[in-house]
């Protein structure tokens, strides 16, 4: 993007973009703006400084990385980040998917202080309802839906795990129809009306095909809906930790463990087969890199435990699941992005209605 | 004929005869050797170790996350450094009370053997009270209790046996399907003969007292407490294949090569172990590296990038874990075959001995 020199906060920055999209996007193929939301903690600015050329524009930081384009030439990719809220950063860019894949993605994948903001399936439904009720004439041109038993009943073969992608001008009606018939709920939607075209998905990516004030308004309106739940999730992930406390009750210094564990409560009973396909799914995924070792698994009422490594970040934690919930016991270097991504993997691949919270030993007994 | 070097004791000129006889013997032995079932048995051993380690983990977790009745988890395998029969875990209320716990992932039908073993370990622990006070706690113990933890389907068997033999152990059971732990109180089929009273009610009361914790709040706090797997994964006395998981967990990948430095292993062990001295941690790591090389799982790497290479084409931890288990099984099988080879050698040498005696006539 071509942004005039100046000092901006996030709102002012967005205004610069939609006030003069032609000059801002001059020379870009896509002529669209992509916005990515990231959960963050204190170290994130230093982390950017270590990995990119950075430049401060008031409340906005420009950061530039390198990527190799399709012709094999090295090219600069420009990104801008501003604080949407404490611990929640918004990245804006006009770069291609390839530039984003090479120059932006690896950053959060290996960082202990940044993780993509997941949008819980349920919040996604809420966002969709807001858009549809605010804009009667909003069309859905394209969507992707997946089976989430906790959010929708299916008339046809309810026990089949399925994903449906649909393209067509009548998407809005089909979305509801598929939901009732096949028990699927959307995880990616493209909205269109006369001067708005915007795409949203559960990984916290928003694509503004139309660069104007109305599109930005929708973006900020949707964010305000999900932000509370997302920040709560961050709060939970930050509290999951393992420490050794040194005490000296007698005349020796000894260590005692202090574990604060997390818990993912399932929305419906999880079977061994589902747990196994979840493990396979995380292994085959492009952007997740979890490995499961030391696995114990027994069917019946589920008995499942394993040691999990986030290979991207080197975090280690243990999980122990029953059919109702999964405990997460931190071990080494257990940073919040690993836990947030693990939870995102659970809602995307195991149980769309699962909730992560801090385990409370007081109420358990 | 087998191409084998005869030992020196074989008379000159007899080498070919030796090879022929040895070949026959070893061929027969290998044909009789039930390799497949041995392999399965060894894999079973790995599982037994895993279940045992996880049972310890489930048993101590409430004392890592919280502090029921003030007790905290202090260390796994207390007294292991002395090479004496030891318990699996030690809990302490940071005041004067300790609990020694033994995890038994299964109880044989003759539960009495388990109780005898527990009694023996209890005596050892009592004999080492001062050592524990000085080396582990730095303060006096004035109250000791002993626990045996098992999985829920074995709870009754052991609890009954303990109660009938009059031994004083408290039984904890873990249900891995619901991730809960509780204290199992079994009613005996017959009263032990070391009870003070003759009145049945008083006898039952006495038994209840004997098989639950003296601190009543501990009994109530451990009543169906939720537990989890995730602590205590460094157990110096478990079988080597189980211990070498630590190497898999500490590995890093350099340019598609799984590799590890001594420092990586040391860091993992010291993070995972509580209250082990630096020297002990260093010994544990030495043992891991030596055993790893022995199994051909680790090898020195003449490269600046890392000290040791993991001998495998895989890089993912789950694949490496499988490779480790396979290597250990192969190594154990090879060991069994070596014994067969030795037996053949001995037998053929003995044959030669007899022949030479006949020649003297």
């Amino acid at each position: 993007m071509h942004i005039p020199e100046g000092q901006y906060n996030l709102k002012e920055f967005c205004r610069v973009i939609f006030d003069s999209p032609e000059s801002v996007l001059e020379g870009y193929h896509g002529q669209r703006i992509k916005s990515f939301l990231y959960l963050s903690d204190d170290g994130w600015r230093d982390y950017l400084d270590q990995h990119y050329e950075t430049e401060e524009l008031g409340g906005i930081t420009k950061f530039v990385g390198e990527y190799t384009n399709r012709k094999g030439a090295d090219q600069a990719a420009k990104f801008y980040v501003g604080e949407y809220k404490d611990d929640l950063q918004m990245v804006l860019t006009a770069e291609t998917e390839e530039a984003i894949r090479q120059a932006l993605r690896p950053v959060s994948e290996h960082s202990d202080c940044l993780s993509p903001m997941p949008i819980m399936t349920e919040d996604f439904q809420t966002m969709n309802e807001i858009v549809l009720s605010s804009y009667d004439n909003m069309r859905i041109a394209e969507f992707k839906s997946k089976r989430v038993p906790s959010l929708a009943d299916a008339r046809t073969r309810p026990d089949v795990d399925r994903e449906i992608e649909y393209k067509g001008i009548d998407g809005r009606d089909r979305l509801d129809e598929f939901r009732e018939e096949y028990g699927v709920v959307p995880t990616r939607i493209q909205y269109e009306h006369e001067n708005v075209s915007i795409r949203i998905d559960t990984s916290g990516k928003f694509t503004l095909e139309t660069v104007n004030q109305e599109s930005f308004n929708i973006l900020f309106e949707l964010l305000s809906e999900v932000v509370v739940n997302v920040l709560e999730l961050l709060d939970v992930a930050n509290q999951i930790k393992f420490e050794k406390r040194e005490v000296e009750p007698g005349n020796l210094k000894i260590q005692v463990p202090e574990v604060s564990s997390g818990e993912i409560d399932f929305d419906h009973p999880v079977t061994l087969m589902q747990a196994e396909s979840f493990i396979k799914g995380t292994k085959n995924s492009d952007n997740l890199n979890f490995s499961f070792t030391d696995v114990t698994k027994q069917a019946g009422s589920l008995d499942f435990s394993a040691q999990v490594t986030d290979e991207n970040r080197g975090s280690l934690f243990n999980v122990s699941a029953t059919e109702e919930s999964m405990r997460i016991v931190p071990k080494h270097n257990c940073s919040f992005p690993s836990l947030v991504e693990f939870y995102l993997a659970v809602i995307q691949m195991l149980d769309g209605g699962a909730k992560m919270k801090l385990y409370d030993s007081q109420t358990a007994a | 004929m087998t191409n084998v070097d005869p030992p020196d004791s074989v008379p000159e000129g007899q080498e070919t005869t030796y090879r022929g006889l040895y070949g026959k013997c070893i061929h027969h032995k290998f044909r009789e050797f039930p390799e497949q079932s041995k392999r399965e048995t060894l894999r079973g051993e790995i599982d037994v170790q895993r279940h045992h380690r996880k049972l310890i983990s489930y048993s101590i977790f409430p004392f890592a996350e919280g502090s029921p009745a003030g007790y905290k988890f202090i260390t796994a395998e207390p007294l292991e450094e002395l090479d004496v029969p030891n318990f699996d875990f030690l809990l302490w209320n940071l005041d004067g009370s300790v609990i020694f716990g033994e995890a038994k992932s299964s109880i044989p039908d003759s539960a009495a053997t388990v109780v005898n073993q527990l009694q023996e370990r209890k005596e050892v622990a009592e004999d080492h009270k001062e050592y524990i006070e000085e080396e582990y706690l730095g303060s006096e113990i004035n109250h000791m209790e002993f626990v045996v933890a098992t999985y829920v389907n074995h709870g009754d068997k052991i609890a009954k046996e303990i109660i009938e033999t009059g031994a004083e152990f408290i039984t904890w059971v873990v249900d891995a399907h619901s991730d809960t732990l509780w204290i199992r109180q079994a009613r005996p089929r017959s009263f032990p003969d070391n009870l003070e009273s003759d009145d049945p009610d008083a006898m039952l009361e006495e038994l209840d007292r004997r098989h639950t914790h003296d601190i009543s709040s501990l009994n109530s706090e451990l009543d169906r407490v939720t537990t989890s797997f995730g602590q205590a994964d460094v157990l110096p006395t478990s079988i080597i294949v189980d211990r070498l998981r630590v190497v898999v967990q500490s590995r890093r990948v350099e340019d598609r090569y799984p590799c590890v430095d001594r420092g990586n292993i040391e860091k993992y062990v010291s993070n995972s172990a509580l209250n082990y001295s630096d020297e002990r941690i260093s010994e544990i790591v030495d043992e891991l590296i030596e055993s790893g090389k022995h199994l051909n799982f680790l090898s020195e790497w003449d490269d600046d990038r890392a000290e040791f290479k993991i001998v495998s084409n895989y890089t993912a931890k789950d694949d490496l874990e499988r490779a480790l288990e396979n290597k250990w099984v192969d190594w154990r099988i090879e060991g069994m075959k070596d014994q067969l080879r030795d037996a053949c050698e001995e037998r053929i040498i003995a044959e030669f001995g007899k022949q030479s005696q006949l020649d003297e006539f």
Side-chain angles (χ1 to χ4, degrees), chain A residues 93-106:
Chain A
T93 186
E95 299 292 343
T96 61
E97 282 307 290
E98 190 52 29
I100 288 165
R101 194 181 65 81
Q102 291 182 42
L104 180 66
R105 291 259 180 246

Side-chain angles (χ1 to χ4, degrees), chain A residues 10 34-45 48 56 59-61 63 80-92 104 108 111 113-118 203-206 219-220 223 227 230-231 234 336:
Chain A
L10 186 60
K34 293 161 190 172
S35 161
F36 299 86
L37 274 295
Y38 285 97
L39 291 166
S40 63
D41 73 5
D42 296 345
W44 74 273
R45 282 184 188 281
L48 278 194
E56 301 299 329
I60 296 288
T61 305
F63 60 105
Y80 296 83
V81 59
E83 192 160 79
Y84 173 81
K85 247 192 167 39
D86 278 352
D87 305 330
L88 190 53
Q89 314 305 323
M90 183 187 276
V91 171
L92 291 154
L104 180 66
S108 66
S111 161
C113 47
L114 281 168
S115 83
M117 174 190 89
S203 67
K205 178 187 174 189
F206 298 76
L219 167 63
F220 278 81
L223 279 180
V227 73
V230 167
L231 288 174
L234 175 66
F336 81 86

